[in-house]
Amino acid sequence: MKAKTALIAAFCILSLAGCQNGTHDIPTADTTVPVQSAETTETTSAVTAANTEAVQKDTEQSSAAENTGGQRLTLEEAEAAALGHAGVDESEVTTIEAEFDHDDGVNVIEVEFYTSSYEYEYKINADDGHIIKFSREALLWETPGKVISTEEAENIALEHAGLSRDDVTFIKTENDTDDARGKYEIEFICGGKEYEYDINTGGEIIKYEIDEINN
């Protein structure tokens, strides 16, 4: 009887041990959280920083453009460009004015100045500096005794512009009798520009103006 009891007890112990070993063999779910590498983190941070810097730069440029009106040329630079084009030394100028303006979607600087003999007017592109329009007009003039013909007046205008009759299309040539002193008004176009001349009946250029034609 005792031997049988001991055998049963041993069997129970072995069975219990087997159950415990089986428990350890049960697979468990992998709950490990992948860790981002230091290299990936560093790259992401660099890209973020670069994007942030680009946005800040664009914002600064936009702000600067708003503050300056988007102008690249200063008033002083425009004045110097006008004087240089006219071949006038600053010492010859009695008065000069310059101001920003907006003309047909273009940022411009208008410059006006006087010498003892002439009035000059310039319209300059404020973004690239090229001259859009300019004119020179004599302040004092008289009609001499000699009177030139219409054709001679046209030739004087063409020679001054450095063009030939074959180069241009005449728009207007007339003798202005409204002015007691008498003058010819001549207009022609060439190469995307319009030329206007006032020439007195003695052959002197009173005024000339060259203007880009807006297409």
Side-chain angles (χ1 to χ4, degrees), residues 59-112:
T59 302
E60 290 173 359
Q61 290 177 340
S62 298
S63 177
E66 290 176 0
N67 292 335
T68 61
Q71 313 299 339
R72 296 180 183 177
L73 204 67
T74 66
L75 295 179
E76 292 75 15
E77 289 170 337
E79 289 177 355
L83 291 173
H85 182 272
V88 175
D89 189 86
E90 191 173 357
S91 61
E92 302 176 62
V93 176
T94 57
T95 180
I96 186 168
E97 295 180 356
E99 64 179 5
F100 288 113
D101 199 0
H102 199 67
D103 186 17
D104 294 329
V106 178
N107 295 318
V108 300
I109 298 177
E110 295 183 348
V111 182
E112 181 178 354

Side-chain angles (χ1 to χ4, degrees), residues 9 15 21 25 45-46 65 70 74 86 113 124 137 165 186-187:
S15 298
N21 290 335
D25 292 336
S45 299
T74 66
F113 60 94
I124 301 175
E137 182 174 5
R165 287 186 177 272
I186 302 168
E187 297 180 19

Side-chain angles (χ1 to χ4, degrees), residues 151-203:
E151 184 177 356
E152 287 175 316
E154 289 178 346
N155 289 337
I156 290 171
L158 290 170
E159 182 179 0
H160 183 270
L163 301 170
S164 68
R165 287 186 177 272
D166 294 335
D167 296 327
V168 309
T169 300
F170 280 97
I171 300 174
K172 170 185 175 183
T173 300
E174 65 180 34
N175 191 341
D176 183 7
T177 56
D178 292 338
D179 194 313
R181 293 174 293 185
K183 65 180 179 180
Y184 290 100
E185 294 182 350
I186 302 168
E187 297 180 19
F188 52 86
I189 58 175
C190 177
K193 294 181 179 180
E194 181 177 356
Y195 298 75
E196 298 182 12
Y197 281 84
D198 287 356
I199 299 176
N200 71 9
T201 54

Side-chain angles (χ1 to χ4, degrees), residues 1-13:
M1 184 66 176
K2 291 181 179 180
K4 185 176 180 179
T5 302
L7 183 60
I8 292 172
F11 177 77
C12 291
I13 291 172

